[in-house]
């Protein structure tokens, strides 16, 4: 953590120039805004740095194949709910294994960068909080249970006919 | 091009003098109170901030959003109000 608030106005100005952020004079009333912009630029910079390092690792033929796949995988993983997992996604799963296997063969060091990335993006792109999903699931299953009970009580009547 | 409101027209027609911050287009009671709490109690103080941000639209919009929670429309109304006022009087 760089503690932007402890830097002088002059240093903030220099950092803004370094990041190419257009700005006016750094004074008390503009300080908070520029610190916020710097924080955003710094975290974005770190993210793009990590990604570019990752692409740097892989210069074999697998690169393009994997990179085309990865965005799809991450999108699929983050948007899916549990009900979807039961059904249709087996076609995608072998692809997951396929892309990861070559990595494991290459080197141990390279294994580490992909994994945190896999864990990070689904969390960041989650639109619906988990507790809400669980709640909806319980409500739906409760309703289904009620329907089931009503059906059961109706059965004995049907048997008579 | 969106049409300007009566508030906008009234504001840009004359020097702002000691007008309250709520005289600015896009700034109503709620936003006005929030700005006053932060020390921006007169329109000319917001003008000062606008000028210190070099009259830049993006910076001013962002500052306004962070300071009083203005939405996109309110940011735009306030910005064009001040910009037009500056074109005439600054």
């Amino acid at each position: 953590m760089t503690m932007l608030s402890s830097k002088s106005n002059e240093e903030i100005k220099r950092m803004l120039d370094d990041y190419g952020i257009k700005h006016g004079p750094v004074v008390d009333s503009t300080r908070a805004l520029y610190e916020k912009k710097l924080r955003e630029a710094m975290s974005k910079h770190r993210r793009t740095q990590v990604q570019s390092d990752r692409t740097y690792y892989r210069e074999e033929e697998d690169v393009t194949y994997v990179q085309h796949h990865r965005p799809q995988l991450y999108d699929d993983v983050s948007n899916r709910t549990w009900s979807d997992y039961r059904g249709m996604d087996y076609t995608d799963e072998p692809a997951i294994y396929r892309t990861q296997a070559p990595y494991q063969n290459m080197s141990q060091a390279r294994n580490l960068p992909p994994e945190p990335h896999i864990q990070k993006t689904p969390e960041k792109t989650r639109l619906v909080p988990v507790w809400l999903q669980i709640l909806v699931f319980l409500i739906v299953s409760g309703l289904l249970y009620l329907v089931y009970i009503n059906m059961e009580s109706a059965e004995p009547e049907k048997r008579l006919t | 091009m969106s049409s300007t409101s009566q508030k906008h027209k009234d504001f840009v027609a004359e020097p702002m003098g000691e007008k309250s911050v709520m005289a600015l287009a896009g700034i109503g009671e709620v936003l006005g109170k929030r700005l006053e709490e932060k020390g921006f109690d007169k329109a000319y103080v917001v003008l000062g901030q606008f000028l210190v941000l070099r009259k830049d639209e993006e910076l001013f919009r962002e500052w306004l959003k962070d300071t009083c929670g203005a939405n996109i429309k309110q940011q735009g109304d306030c910005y064009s109000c001040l910009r037009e006022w500056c074109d005439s009087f600054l």
Side-chain angles (χ1 to χ4, degrees):
Chain A
M1 290 290 264
T2 40
M3 291 302 287
L4 290 173
S5 47
S6 61
K7 297 202 182 290
S8 72
N9 289 341
E10 184 64 42
E11 287 172 321
I12 296 286
K13 180 189 171 302
R14 260 185 245 129
M15 289 176 74
L16 288 166
D17 291 336
D18 285 343
Y19 282 98
I21 301 171
K22 62 180 173 178
H23 61 93
V26 184
V27 293
D28 289 347
S29 64
T30 56
R31 179 91 188 207
L33 176 69
Y34 293 143
E35 281 184 21
K36 181 188 121 194
K37 287 180 90 75
L38 275 174
R39 256 178 240 124
E40 287 169 4
M42 281 159 67
S43 65
K44 203 177 185 184
H45 184 68
R46 244 179 260 133
R47 247 181 279 145
T48 53
Q49 258 191 345
V50 173
Q51 283 175 9
S52 62
D53 286 347
R54 212 165 282 130
T55 56
Y56 180 71
Y57 282 147
R58 309 166 201 146
E59 296 185 8
E60 280 84 0
E61 344 174 311
D62 293 326
V63 176
T64 49
Y65 172 73
V66 170
Q67 288 203 326
H68 284 311
H69 258 274
R70 276 178 171 270
Q72 282 177 12
L73 290 176
Y74 293 152
D75 286 342
D76 293 341
V77 168
S78 61
N79 288 336
R80 269 187 203 135
T81 57
W82 303 323
S83 54
D84 284 341
Y85 268 122
R86 275 183 234 142
M88 310 136 33
D89 303 334
Y90 290 109
T91 50
D92 284 339
E93 286 187 7
I96 297 171
Y97 296 133
R98 245 186 281 138
T99 54
Q100 282 187 353
Y103 284 127
Q104 288 170 1
N105 289 336
M106 278 178 206
S107 73
Q108 285 178 0
R110 285 176 193 172
N111 242 351
L112 297 173
E115 285 177 9
H117 189 62
I118 293 170
Q119 286 165 7
K120 266 186 202 167
T121 46
E123 282 180 29
K124 278 183 185 168
T125 55
R126 181 171 286 153
L127 298 170
V128 180
V130 180
W131 63 266
L132 187 62
Q133 288 179 3
I134 295 174
L135 187 66
V136 169
F137 177 73
L138 287 174
I139 289 172
V140 169
S141 51
L143 285 170
L144 287 171
Y145 182 66
L146 283 173
V147 170
Y148 178 70
I149 286 188
N150 283 332
M151 297 278 281
E152 269 216 283
S153 59
E155 270 188 45
E157 291 177 23
K158 283 187 182 172
R159 275 188 193 161
L160 288 174
T161 56
Chain B
M1 260 207 305
S2 58
S3 59
T4 50
S5 65
Q6 189 58 45
K7 215 175 169 191
H8 174 105
K9 290 180 188 148
D10 291 344
F11 192 85
V12 303
E14 57 182 3
M16 65 177 78
E18 298 291 319
K19 281 184 188 167
S20 147
V21 71
M22 292 182 220
L24 284 162
I27 307 296
E29 270 200 46
V30 175
L31 297 185
K33 275 231 166 61
R34 291 184 194 156
L35 284 169
E36 281 173 7
E37 279 164 17
K38 300 257 172 96
F40 295 88
D41 56 343
K42 296 281 185 190
Y44 65 72
V45 188
V46 179
L47 170 70
Q49 185 69 8
F50 177 70
L51 297 175
V52 141
L53 292 171
R54 304 175 62 88
K55 301 192 257 174
D56 180 82
E57 178 166 9
E58 204 187 300
L59 287 175
F60 181 71
R61 277 176 175 267
E62 203 175 333
W63 172 82
L64 198 61
K65 185 181 85 169
D66 290 346
T67 308
C68 65
N71 64 30
I72 306 243
K73 185 184 183 306
Q74 291 161 332
Q75 295 163 24
D77 289 345
C78 190
Y79 167 76
S80 38
C81 177
L82 282 171
R83 195 197 59 211
E84 208 174 306
W85 187 93
C86 286
D87 289 345
S88 303
F89 298 102
L90 195 60

